[in-house]
Amino acid sequence: MPNNHHNQQAHPGAHHRIYHPDPELLYHDSGIDYNHVEMNRNASVAKLYEDALRYEAGTIISSKGALVTSSGKKTGRSPKDKRIVDEPSTTEDIWWGPVNTKLSEHAFLINHERAVDYLNTRERLYVFDGFAGWDPKYRIKIRVVCARAYHCLFMRNMLIRPTPEELEHYGDPDFTILNAGAFPANRYTTGMTSTTSVAINFPRREMVILGTEYAGEMKKGVFTIMHYLMPKAGVLSLHSSANQGNDGDVTVFFGLSGTGKTTLSADPGRHLIGDDEHCWSDTGVFNIEGGCYAKCIDLSAEKEPEIFAAIRYGAVLENVVLDEDTRQVHYEDDSLTENTRCAYPIEYIPNALIPCIGGHPKNIIMLTCDALGVLPPVSKLTSSQAMYHFISGYTSKMAGTEDGVIEPEATFSACFGQPFLVLHPTKYATMLAQKMHDHAADAWLINTGWNGGAYGKTGKRISLKYSRAIIDAIHSGELKKASYQTYPIFGLEIPTAVSGVPADVLNPATAWQGSPSDFEQTVRKLAELFNTNFDKYKDQASNDVIEAGPKL
């Protein structure tokens, strides 16, 4: 491999494998000038640690051996800067609007050129060739080209890592991500609204990142790509976690960032299929990713032992604060961001199911984080209610998960993953309804948010211990046989008792610490928010689904 840069002294005992027997064959389409950069393809964890520590200021190793790094100014995603190229072959498919903003082919090419020019000026580049999707029938080949060892290690953890034989016969990628995040977009390029740009071009099968070094943009970019390609193959893509019991029963957890998807699916009594992104095919569910991306704020070995133990050598910790001497992480410290994160390979979870493929789900759990404190900790949903709440996707956007969000905001996110949808929400909802019907899955709505009052008033966050007890009761069959009472206005069925959960917590009316009039006013406020949001879907929703909403 040609290398015109000799300022790095090689360790005398290190033997470097040849990364590219034919680099021209591998990179001729990307525009990368391989003759003028040191190219590291699918580098080892040790090599990426070495380079990150040597070349990326502020990178250190935690007391547990994880690589601690900074994503720079951006510590969350930038959804307002996401663009999809508008061109004839895909324009009719895409759900254009606030989620998917149009970008011209010409503007994309300007950004592409800008990214390539930046990458070509680096002394070293990193390439990771991996897979998205554990089912060999549906997996796609993703190539990441980046300038930071941190970004490469992150995607090494998050994509499915190929075997040496698979890498040798990898061939051309199905999609390429060019990450030039340290270099800004030109604000005067048509279609740009800031110096940040995350742009996807489906015909060219490329994604270009400028102006943000937040690694989560790559992860969610892959998810967006799968949200377009998989439904076209008859496979439902889901913003969900999934796990499997010892009897083979699969549970799928829907939920946006901050609702507890990652935490609640990491159950020591069950096998983890994945923590965030899945597909549901004719044979069952499979994980899209090869790793987990867990929130770290207030993390402890007591509350989340599997995740806590996974943060070790090979894992990437983002934007956390450490003790200067001991290098122990202060997980409670949110001075840099509330969105502290860790990316680790899924096999770091001891009970992960490898390969990450399961059967058809028996239980569908929709997680919401209600900051108003009026949704029950658990409700059993009818089929129509399940569709209504899936299309609605209510939650409170949690602090730190997006740039500029500093306290919870009530929001509706279609399919519990609106920022990543490419097709119209009803396309995914219709597929889910059919699959739930075909495989007789039970549906549940679980609120992991506030109880006893609203955020910032009399409410407190529902104990993780209670949420775990509720899910245990679903898996044991206890809740299937429980007695229920109907919650007014929302028409939800609330169990009268759940093992390990105080009875007064189960019903928001009895848990409420404020006045009865304040409670009723807050319930009506949330009901109105639901009804107003659902108005935009009524023209494509059936009457039974519309009737499943709140009644005022």
Side-chain angles (χ1 to χ4, degrees), residues 40 67 76 80 113 124 132 189 193 253 264 282 324 336 349 363 380 483 530:
N40 301 277
L67 188 75
K80 293 177 182 176
E113 190 80 356
R124 66 198 61 81
T189 300
T193 53
F253 300 78
L264 293 171
D282 290 338
E324 195 170 326
L336 295 178
I349 298 292
N363 288 293
K380 192 177 192 310
S483 297
F530 265 93

Side-chain angles (χ1 to χ4, degrees), residues 69-75 148 150 213-214 319:
T69 186
S70 167
S71 65
K73 183 181 176 185
K74 300 273 187 175
T75 57
R148 290 190 66 178
Y150 144 52
E213 295 181 78
Y214 181 64
N319 305 315

Side-chain angles (χ1 to χ4, degrees), residues 447-523:
N447 174 23
T448 62
W450 275 256
N451 189 250
Y455 167 86
K457 296 183 180 178
T458 58
K460 290 183 179 178
R461 190 80 191 254
I462 293 170
S463 168
L464 179 60
K465 177 173 65 176
Y466 296 158
S467 296
R468 287 198 189 281
I470 287 166
I471 289 168
D472 286 345
I474 289 172
H475 288 148
S476 71
E478 176 189 333
L479 285 190
K480 202 171 176 72
K481 297 174 275 190
S483 297
Y484 287 85
Q485 57 182 319
T486 303
Y487 185 49
I489 297 182
F490 279 87
L492 297 168
E493 295 297 305
I494 304 174
T496 55
V498 179
S499 297
V501 183
D504 60 348
V505 170
L506 294 171
N507 190 322
T510 56
W512 195 261
Q513 299 294 306
S515 68
S517 60
D518 189 31
F519 173 73
E520 185 177 344
Q521 188 178 4
T522 308
V523 173

Side-chain angles (χ1 to χ4, degrees), residues 106 115 190 202 271 275 321 324 346 348 411 444 457 463 495:
H106 180 70
T190 304
F202 283 110
H271 301 286
D275 80 322
V321 177
E324 195 170 326
I346 193 163
Y348 280 21
T411 187
W444 313 84
K457 296 183 180 178
S463 168

Side-chain angles (χ1 to χ4, degrees), residues 370-375 388 394 396 407-412 454-455 457 487 489-490 512 517-533 550-552:
D370 174 30
L372 293 176
V374 293
L375 282 184
Y388 181 89
Y394 167 69
S396 298
E407 66 177 49
E409 299 172 0
T411 187
F412 291 87
Y455 167 86
K457 296 183 180 178
Y487 185 49
I489 297 182
F490 279 87
W512 195 261
S517 60
D518 189 31
F519 173 73
E520 185 177 344
Q521 188 178 4
T522 308
V523 173
R524 295 182 72 85
K525 175 185 175 182
L526 183 58
E528 287 170 1
L529 288 171
F530 265 93
N531 290 339
T532 301
N533 172 73
K551 302 279 195 304
L552 286 170

Side-chain angles (χ1 to χ4, degrees), residues 218-437:
M218 292 183 288
K219 166 191 156 61
K220 289 304 186 186
V222 172
F223 191 31
T224 302
I225 290 161
M226 294 294 275
H227 258 324
Y228 178 75
L229 297 178
M230 289 298 103
K232 287 189 160 293
V235 176
L236 175 59
S237 46
L238 303 167
H239 188 217
S240 68
S241 57
N243 63 24
Q244 179 175 294
N246 291 327
D247 296 332
D249 60 299
V250 171
T251 296
V252 166
F253 300 78
F254 290 117
L256 281 169
S257 295
T259 57
K261 252 191 357 292
T262 297
T263 301
L264 293 171
S265 55
D267 184 330
R270 294 173 66 82
H271 301 286
L272 181 69
I273 299 173
D275 80 322
D276 194 44
E277 303 172 7
H278 289 82
C279 290
W280 190 350
S281 72
D282 290 338
T283 55
V285 298
F286 63 87
N287 191 352
I288 290 174
E289 302 182 296
C292 303
Y293 193 36
K295 285 177 73 73
C296 292
I297 195 70
D298 292 326
L299 181 69
S300 70
E302 179 189 24
K303 287 193 293 186
E304 298 168 82
E306 293 80 20
I307 295 172
F308 190 87
I311 302 177
R312 51 189 171 90
Y313 177 75
V316 178
L317 270 169
E318 290 178 325
N319 305 315
V320 297
V321 177
L322 292 86
D323 184 280
E324 195 170 326
D325 296 321
T326 66
R327 296 297 198 248
Q328 289 184 316
V329 181
H330 297 310
Y331 287 113
E332 75 287 351
D333 193 324
D334 62 358
S335 58
L336 295 178
T337 177
E338 284 203 29
N339 193 36
T340 52
R341 293 271 185 169
C342 184
Y344 50 86
I346 193 163
E347 58 266 27
Y348 280 21
I349 298 292
N351 55 346
L353 187 67
I354 308 288
C356 304
I357 301 172
H360 294 291
K362 183 177 177 182
N363 288 293
I364 302 290
I365 292 175
M366 299 182 186
L367 298 166
T368 182
C369 175
D370 174 30
L372 293 176
V374 293
L375 282 184
V378 59
S379 317
K380 192 177 192 310
L381 303 178
T382 65
S383 176
S384 298
Q385 285 175 328
M387 286 304 92
Y388 181 89
H389 285 279
F390 181 67
I391 293 171
S392 298
Y394 167 69
T395 194
S396 298
K397 195 179 290 180
M398 298 308 295
T401 55
E402 289 184 10
D403 197 37
V405 179
I406 56 174
E407 66 177 49
E409 299 172 0
T411 187
F412 291 87
S413 184
C415 310
F416 291 96
Q418 182 169 310
F420 322 116
L421 301 182
V422 182
L423 313 179
H424 193 278
T426 54
K427 302 270 190 191
Y428 305 99
T430 302
M431 292 180 77
L432 179 64
Q434 188 62 51
K435 288 186 177 294
M436 286 179 64
H437 175 267

Side-chain angles (χ1 to χ4, degrees), residues 119-159:
L119 292 169
N120 279 335
T121 64
R122 303 303 91 194
E123 290 195 356
R124 66 198 61 81
L125 292 179
Y126 304 90
V127 175
F128 187 78
D129 287 339
F131 301 108
W134 277 85
D135 188 332
K137 182 178 178 182
Y138 297 109
R139 75 182 185 186
I140 66 170
K141 295 183 285 185
I142 302 284
R143 171 168 294 159
V144 179
V145 183
C146 53
R148 290 190 66 178
Y150 144 52
H151 286 152
C152 187
L153 181 58
F154 176 92
M155 288 305 279
R156 187 186 195 279
N157 287 347
M158 296 312 302
L159 289 173

